[in-house]
Amino acid sequence: MRILVLLLAFVMALAMKAAPCTITIDAPDHIGKAAVLYRYMDLFSMRREVLAVGEVDGHGSVTLTGEVAEIMKGQVRIGMDVAEFYLKPGANYTVRLLPPERNDPRSLGGASLRQLEFLGLDRLDVNALTSDLNEKLDAFVAEDLATDQVAGMQARDLVLKDGSAKPDSVRRPATLFVNPGFSEARVDTFELKLRKYYAGVSDVWFSSFMESALAGLRFGPGTNDSALFARALQNKPVRYNDPEYVRFFLSFFEDHLLRHPFLTNENELVRGIAQADMDSLKRLFSKNVFLTDDRLCELVVLNELYANYHGKTFDRSGIRSLLAKAIRSSNYSEHRSISANMFWDLTTMQPGDTLPSLMTWNTSGEKVELDTLLAEGPVYIAFTASWCTYCELELSAMEKLHAEYGKVIRFITIDIDGTTTSIEALQRLHPARTWPHLLANGDPLLLDKLRLRSVPAFFLLDGPQLKHAPAKSPSAGIAADFHRIAASVPQEGGRRVWDD
C-alpha cells in the first residue's frame, strides 16, 4: 500500500512538473524592438511575471520560451503592442502579430491590443477551442439582441410594491425593457447545442471554461442567485487559473462588501478592518448564505479588501496588515500567493521607495542610466508618449514651471515610445524646454518596473527616493509643492535639501 501511495505521489509530481511553452512571433513592423513573454501570476490581482525576453530580428521574427506547469493566461508584448493567449506546457506555437485595425482601441497606458493569428494550430488546442467558443458566444449574444426583444429578452411589467400596475402618462408597450436579461429558454437551447457540438472534446480545462462561460450568460438582473450559485459555484473547486471562472466569480460577488456587511454591520466591519482581524471579517461575510464555505469566504474577503483599498471608507493600513497576515497564515496556498501579489501591487512604487534602475536613451541614441541624473535634491520626472495629445498640454504647463523653478528642481521628460526624430522636432518647436529629454524606446520592462498604467505620469523624487508617486501634474497643483521646495533650499552654497 505504501509503495502504491508513493507511486501515486510520484505520478502527480510528474504531472505538475513545468514544461516549456514556446511561441515564435512574426512581427515585421517591430524589427529591433524588445519582446517579452509574460504569465499572469493570478487572475485576481492580474500581476504578471516575465518568462522570457527577446528581440525581434532583422527578419521580423522572435522566439520566446517560458516554463509553465499548467494551462494559464499569458501575454506577449512588443513595444506598445500586446496580445494575449493561453500558455500550455509542452506547446510550440507559431503566430503572426496582426496589424492593428483602424478602430482598434488603445489602453490608457498606451498599449494597443493586437490579435494573434495562429499558424498550423491543432483544432483541439486550448487556444483554438476557446477562440471557437468565444465566437459562438458572441454570435449568440448578437443574434439574441438583434431579434424580437419580447421573445429574446426578459421583459418586465412595471408594478408598484403593492402589486398594482404603475400608471404611466405616456404611451408605451405593455412591458418596459429595463435591465434585460437573456431568455432562459434560449440559453437552455443554446447550451444544449453547444454541449452536443463539443461532446467529443475531452479537455477538462476547456470543459470548465465552457461551464463558467454558460453561467455568465445566465447572470444578470432578475437572476435567481441561489439557483445560479448552486449551478456554478456551490461545492465546486475554485478554478483560480480559469479566466472565465474568475470573471464569473468576480461578477457574482461584485461589491459584496458594500452591499452586505457594510449595510448591516458597518461598525463591526470598519473595526475589523482597522484591527486587521481576519476571523472577525470572515464571520461577518459568512452570514451570507453563499459564503459558508471557508475557502470561498476568504477569497471574497481578500478580493473585496483589495478592490476597496483606494477608497476613503476603510483603513488602508488595516487592509495591508490583513493581506500580510494572509500571506503568512492562510490555510490555502493559492490565497497566500494572491495576497502576496495584491500586497505587492498596493505597496510598490510608493513614497519612500527607491526608483528602480532604468536604462533610457538620449536623442543621440546613447544609453543613459537614469540613476546618473538623480543627483541630491528634488527631481521631477514626466513620462509622456508621442501619441498622447493631452501630454502636450501638461508639457506646456511644465515649461512655465521650469522657467520659475528650474534652478532649484531638476526636470526630466521620458517619452515611452517616441523616436529621436519626434523628440528633436518638439525641441525645435519649444526651444525653452531645455531639460533632458530621454527615450524609453517602448521598453516593456521599463514600463513594468515603474508600473505605468497611463500617461502622462509624474514622479517627484529626492535624489533616487520617491517622495510623491504619482506626483501632481503641472496643471493640477504641483506648483505649490515646488514653492515649498524652493523655500527650503539654502540661499547660500551647499547641499540642496527639502522636506514635505
Side-chain angles (χ1 to χ4, degrees):
M1 182 66 181
R2 181 182 178 186
I3 295 176
L4 182 61
V5 172
L6 291 174
L7 181 60
L8 179 61
F10 177 72
V11 171
M12 292 178 64
L14 286 178
M16 292 298 294
K17 185 177 181 181
C21 177
T22 300
I23 182 168
T24 299
I25 309 167
D26 179 32
D29 54 341
H30 288 295
I31 292 175
K33 291 185 179 180
V36 184
L37 175 64
Y38 301 93
R39 76 172 180 95
Y40 285 97
M41 298 172 71
D42 76 76
L43 297 176
F44 293 86
S45 72
M46 298 301 288
R47 183 182 178 184
R48 300 173 308 173
E49 178 186 31
V50 176
L51 294 181
V53 180
E55 182 177 303
V56 181
D57 62 24
H59 300 288
S61 179
V62 61
T63 297
L64 303 168
T65 299
E67 297 281 327
V68 292
E70 58 185 319
I71 295 173
M72 59 183 60
K73 192 172 184 178
Q75 184 188 89
V76 291
R77 180 165 187 157
I78 305 177
M80 300 306 295
D81 291 330
V82 299
E84 295 183 335
F85 70 111
Y86 293 104
L87 298 158
K88 183 178 180 180
N92 195 330
Y93 299 120
T94 300
V95 303
R96 182 181 296 118
L97 187 66
L98 297 178
E101 298 291 337
R102 179 178 299 178
N103 297 320
D104 273 359
R106 185 186 289 271
S107 72
L108 289 176
S112 176
L113 186 62
R114 303 275 288 269
Q115 298 296 319
L116 295 176
E117 179 186 3
F118 286 81
L119 307 178
L121 184 63
D122 185 339
R123 291 180 59 191
L124 294 180
D125 181 84
V126 63
N127 287 284
L129 290 170
T130 53
S131 178
D132 185 61
L133 174 62
N134 287 331
E135 287 180 3
K136 287 178 170 54
L137 291 168
D138 291 342
F140 168 77
V141 172
E143 180 183 4
D144 207 85
L145 292 175
T147 53
D148 180 17
Q149 286 184 316
V150 174
M153 307 294 282
Q154 293 284 6
R156 302 189 179 281
D157 289 315
L158 288 177
V159 295
L160 298 177
K161 288 185 178 180
D162 61 7
S164 62
K166 182 176 182 179
D168 200 334
S169 60
V170 299
R171 291 186 178 183
R172 64 171 180 82
T175 52
L176 183 65
F177 297 95
V178 290
N179 296 330
F182 294 113
S183 164
E184 186 174 352
R186 285 198 177 186
V187 175
D188 287 342
T189 302
F190 175 68
E191 179 177 348
L192 182 61
K193 292 179 179 179
L194 209 60
R195 292 189 183 281
K196 287 184 177 179
Y197 182 82
Y198 291 112
V201 178
S202 58
D203 189 302
V204 176
W205 189 93
F206 174 72
S207 296
S208 298
F209 183 96
M210 184 171 67
E211 290 286 347
S212 296
L214 288 168
L217 288 181
R218 300 177 183 278
F219 180 75
T223 299
N224 184 325
D225 289 341
S226 296
L228 187 58
F229 176 77
R231 176 192 183 100
L233 297 172
Q234 190 174 24
N235 299 325
K236 291 179 170 59
V238 178
R239 300 191 292 272
Y240 296 93
N241 276 333
D242 180 344
E244 277 298 317
Y245 177 92
V246 173
R247 179 161 57 179
F248 176 80
F249 181 96
L250 295 178
S251 297
F252 192 87
F253 292 109
E254 185 177 13
D255 292 332
H256 181 89
L257 182 149
L258 296 176
R259 289 188 290 111
H260 291 284
F262 183 71
L263 293 180
T264 57
N265 302 90
E266 178 182 348
N267 293 335
E268 189 176 349
L269 175 68
V270 171
R271 183 169 57 252
I273 293 176
Q275 296 175 354
D277 187 346
M278 177 61 81
D279 291 336
S280 173
L281 293 178
K282 287 167 71 172
R283 281 195 299 272
L284 276 179
F285 276 68
S286 64
K287 291 179 180 180
N288 185 288
V289 294
F290 298 146
L291 294 178
T292 55
D293 177 80
D294 185 70
R295 181 186 288 267
L296 279 182
C297 182
E298 184 174 284
L299 185 56
V300 172
V301 171
L302 292 173
N303 187 70
E304 288 294 286
L305 293 173
Y306 178 60
N308 287 278
Y309 179 81
H310 294 289
K312 297 181 179 180
T313 306
F314 306 109
D315 185 273
R316 294 183 182 179
S317 63
I319 293 176
R320 292 195 301 270
S321 297
L322 283 161
L323 291 175
K325 286 183 178 180
I327 295 170
R328 298 190 303 269
S329 57
S330 172
N331 292 325
Y332 312 106
S333 59
E334 299 91 348
H335 296 183
R336 294 195 293 272
S337 298
I338 291 171
S339 299
N341 293 333
M342 290 176 172
F343 188 85
W344 172 87
D345 182 51
L346 299 178
T347 58
T348 303
M349 285 292 291
Q350 297 295 305
D353 290 349
T354 299
L355 188 74
S357 298
L358 302 175
M359 183 63 70
T360 59
W361 289 259
N362 61 23
T363 52
S364 299
E366 300 169 330
K367 289 184 177 181
V368 177
E369 292 186 19
L370 190 58
D371 294 358
T372 62
L373 301 180
L374 304 181
E376 294 178 346
V379 183
Y380 188 61
I381 303 179
F383 288 88
T384 65
S386 59
W387 46 264
C388 175
T389 53
Y390 176 69
C391 293
E392 178 54 35
L393 296 176
E394 292 293 354
L395 288 175
S396 296
M398 188 170 164
E399 184 177 325
K400 296 177 182 178
L401 293 173
H402 180 260
E404 184 172 357
Y405 298 103
K407 293 182 179 179
V408 176
I409 299 166
R410 182 186 293 268
F411 287 68
I412 298 172
T413 300
I414 301 177
D415 194 311
I416 63 174
D417 72 338
T419 63
T420 298
T421 303
S422 65
I423 296 298
E424 290 178 339
L426 283 174
Q427 286 181 306
R428 286 193 295 271
L429 286 173
H430 305 282
R433 299 177 187 177
T434 56
W435 61 80
H437 297 268
L438 303 174
L439 300 168
N441 283 353
D443 182 3
L445 296 181
L446 180 146
L447 303 179
D448 289 341
K449 286 183 178 180
L450 296 173
R451 302 180 62 241
L452 283 183
R453 295 174 178 171
S454 63
V455 290
F458 304 91
F459 297 96
L460 185 59
L461 300 91
D462 183 7
Q465 188 181 67
L466 292 164
K467 299 292 285 187
H468 295 280
K472 297 174 184 176
S473 68
S475 65
I478 194 64
D481 296 308
F482 287 176
H483 180 76
R484 288 195 297 272
I485 292 170
S488 71
V489 174
Q491 298 301 311
E492 300 179 358
R495 177 185 176 186
R496 290 184 290 188
V497 296
W498 60 289
D499 196 344
D500 287 333

